[in-house]
Amino acid sequence: MSSELILGIDLGTTNSAVGAVEFGFPILLADAEGKRITPSAVWFGSSPGPAAEGESTGNIEVGRKALRRRSADPGRVITSVKRLMGRRHGEETEFCVPMERAADGSGGVRVLGRSPEEVSAEILKELKRIAEMRLERPATKAVITVPAYFNDAQRAATKRAGELAGLEVVRILSEPTAAALAYGLDKLAEKSRVAVYDLGGGTFDLSILEMQDGVFQVLATRGDTRLGGDDIDLALARHVAATAGIDFEALPAAARIRLIEEAERVKCALSERESESFRAPFYDGSSSLETLVDRAALEQILRPLIARSLTCCRQALADANASTEDLDAVVLVGGSTRIPAVRQAVATLFGREPDLSQHPDEAVALGATIQAGVLGGSLRKMVLLDVTPLSLGIETFGGLMNVLIPRNTTIPCKAGEMFTNAAAGQASMRVRVLQGEREMARDNWELGNFEVPFDPAPKGQARVGVQFRIDENGILEVLARDVKTGQDTIVEIRNSAVDVDDAAVEQMVGESVDHAFEDMAERIFTEARMKAEELLPAVDQALLAAADLVTPAQRQEIESAATAVRTALADGQPNPLKAAVQRLDQATETLAAALVERAMEEAMLKRL
């Protein structure tokens, strides 16, 4: 069977891995030290100036070599760069090195004079180098994983990092979906529904997937882009410092890093033992810190972090319209799922012992490798159906959110709708692309906006078709077509300014539930108000022009209904206004029909 080489890459916040299908088997590739896991760390040595895009100047080291330099040269070692991917300056307030605003006016962020994509590209170059060393042939294509809750800009930034590393990114794959692919490799003939609980170094995802005869469909996904092992390490380091009377935030960067590194070691040790000594000799050059930390203390620190993950689990179950009894397995992946408290919390919530068959650090990379093998033709065909995590739509007249692609729609997908001009003489239409679950446009996130020109026309006469298309990588393309001229305006939403950190995502979905009644009430009132404002002048004009076409009783009912509409408008109550508009609509049916009949008669007489 002919096939091409496509790498499977897990580009993680803390660690990364690369794999390929060889002789029909997906395998992860080890570096020269025999290790399959590469730390996602990059050290940039001093250089005359910042690198040109896609190039490097000065010395660069990646992985374990970079981490070894962190204590001595913390200001030049970048870790967890994944948290900056696709983000704008100011959205992240804490990072391992100082952040700067990009000088190109894009609003992006730069670290050590480089964009997050350029830093990530160095990690990808190292993974590419490892693969080519082990496979002894060039590698130019890859499948790269991202958290399920990465938005369009973050996915596009990941793809761009791959391109800067000399890789054609043939698919951007959600991490929990990749883990499910790894889990389902030997279960392709069965129908099963599984939840994938993925708690890694920097992000958390919970996805519910259904697998049957090689078809993998994501039913629902929830996540938290600021919840992972890094947050646990930082919380533990702060706790130990506070217990010892040390102001953690006031410490030099190198001292903070030393405490965080020790916190990570203690955290890992407490997964195996009930207590562990926290030792940081001369952490700031002169002072030393040593104290005993027990598992109970760590679990106390973990409690709010685990609670955040369980909230996502409950929300995903609700989105999938499923209960815990409907699941055949709960699969744990991500290094942080080694923590006993995490495993116990998952077991309690789902009412079953979690499936530990997948290697916590390697499952995502293995799944990416399987998908790469399918795309390259070296593995049997499997169909992968992902979903949109949030609804996508545009703003319509009145400030309403008009959803084109609902949340949890299977991708790739496309959807469209026809729109008209809201005012006479209007010469263009501004298309605001929105993402979110609220009824009013102002309460959702704007992904981008653009102007669609057309010939001025009477109200409702200009027609513009808007189509959304999401490709297999989850990247959105918006097409707007002037129906009269056939001219298309096409925008690929790649650099959106959407804040989708953990708090924002949880707030968006939570507020859509908390404000459901008032949101719907406002939508009803707005729609009724727009119809009333259109109907009332038309009724007044019709009564003046054709009073002879209605009986006194009909005229009285129309005027009474119109008064009721004006009163309801002034009161600002949605349901009374909607009812009043419907009454006026019904009251004017006879008049409207008579006007149409008269107009037809007049037209026939003119012909004669």
Side-chain angles (χ1 to χ4, degrees), residues 508-529:
M508 168 58 68
V509 180
E511 286 186 355
S512 71
V513 176
D514 296 341
H515 299 282
F517 290 109
E518 52 257 53
D519 280 3
M520 186 53 65
E522 185 173 2
R523 186 180 192 98
I524 291 171
F525 181 81
T526 302
E527 291 174 342
R529 175 179 56 78

Side-chain angles (χ1 to χ4, degrees), residues 340-364:
V342 171
R343 295 182 175 183
Q344 181 56 50
V346 173
T348 301
L349 177 66
F350 289 95
R352 69 175 73 230
E353 287 301 316
D355 188 299
L356 307 177
S357 62
Q358 301 305 301
H359 190 294
D361 299 316
E362 298 180 359
V364 171

Side-chain angles (χ1 to χ4, degrees), residues 60-255:
I60 297 175
E61 291 181 351
V62 179
R64 273 171 289 279
K65 291 181 179 179
L67 287 183
R68 293 186 191 113
R69 291 184 176 270
R70 190 162 58 168
S71 295
D73 196 7
R76 305 206 66 82
V77 177
I78 298 175
T79 58
S80 300
V81 72
K82 185 173 178 177
R83 287 184 163 174
L84 301 184
M85 295 288 280
R87 308 301 298 278
R88 294 174 65 84
H89 186 268
E91 291 181 347
E92 287 289 319
T93 57
E94 294 183 1
F95 198 63
C96 58
V97 298
M99 295 176 286
E100 304 167 350
R101 186 184 297 273
D104 58 7
S106 65
V109 61
R110 294 179 78 84
V111 286
L112 300 184
R114 296 165 175 83
S115 68
E117 293 96 318
E118 291 174 295
V119 178
S120 294
E122 297 298 336
I123 300 170
L124 291 170
K125 287 177 186 177
E126 176 66 10
L127 297 174
K128 181 176 183 287
R129 185 195 65 77
I130 291 170
E132 291 177 336
M133 174 192 71
R134 289 299 182 188
L135 300 173
E136 298 182 341
R137 62 185 190 274
T140 59
K141 295 184 178 183
V143 169
I144 303 179
T145 62
V146 297
Y149 255 83
F150 254 29
N151 67 13
D152 180 72
Q154 291 166 308
R155 290 169 184 261
T158 302
K159 191 172 184 179
R160 178 164 172 74
E163 293 166 352
L164 291 174
L167 292 168
E168 177 188 345
V169 183
V170 297
R171 176 71 61 89
I172 296 291
L173 183 64
S174 292
E175 290 165 4
T177 305
L181 281 170
Y183 173 75
L185 182 61
D186 58 349
K187 302 177 176 65
L188 297 181
E190 304 173 10
K191 178 179 179 179
S192 57
R193 185 176 288 188
V194 302
V196 179
Y197 182 101
D198 182 0
L199 184 60
T203 59
F204 169 73
D205 286 300
L206 189 287
S207 291
I208 298 175
L209 305 97
E210 189 169 84
M211 297 177 281
Q212 183 178 15
D213 299 326
V215 177
F216 293 67
Q217 181 171 5
V218 182
L219 302 181
T221 184
R222 289 283 183 143
D224 190 327
T225 56
R226 287 303 306 266
L227 176 60
D230 290 353
D231 302 284
I232 297 171
D233 300 340
L234 180 58
L236 179 57
R238 282 175 169 158
H239 168 78
V240 171
T243 303
I246 300 168
D247 185 350
F248 182 83
E249 305 303 330
L251 291 173

Side-chain angles (χ1 to χ4, degrees), residues 326-337:
D326 297 327
L327 302 175
D328 296 290
V330 179
V331 181
L332 297 190
V333 293
S336 298
T337 59

Side-chain angles (χ1 to χ4, degrees), residues 521-600:
E522 185 173 2
R523 186 180 192 98
I524 291 171
F525 181 81
T526 302
E527 291 174 342
R529 175 179 56 78
M530 290 190 295
K531 187 168 184 180
E533 290 172 347
E534 184 177 355
L535 193 56
L536 286 171
V539 169
D540 291 341
Q541 186 177 355
L543 286 175
L544 285 173
D548 59 314
L549 296 180
V550 293
T551 66
Q554 289 173 332
R555 182 185 182 93
Q556 183 179 358
E557 171 59 17
I558 291 172
E559 290 175 343
S560 175
T563 300
V565 169
R566 292 186 174 94
T567 301
L569 272 172
D571 291 343
Q573 296 300 315
N575 290 328
L577 177 59
K578 182 179 180 181
V581 169
Q582 288 174 344
R583 177 189 169 191
L584 181 58
D585 216 6
Q586 292 169 357
T588 55
E589 284 179 355
T590 301
L591 176 59
L595 283 168
V596 170
E597 188 175 340
R598 173 182 284 184
M600 292 177 65

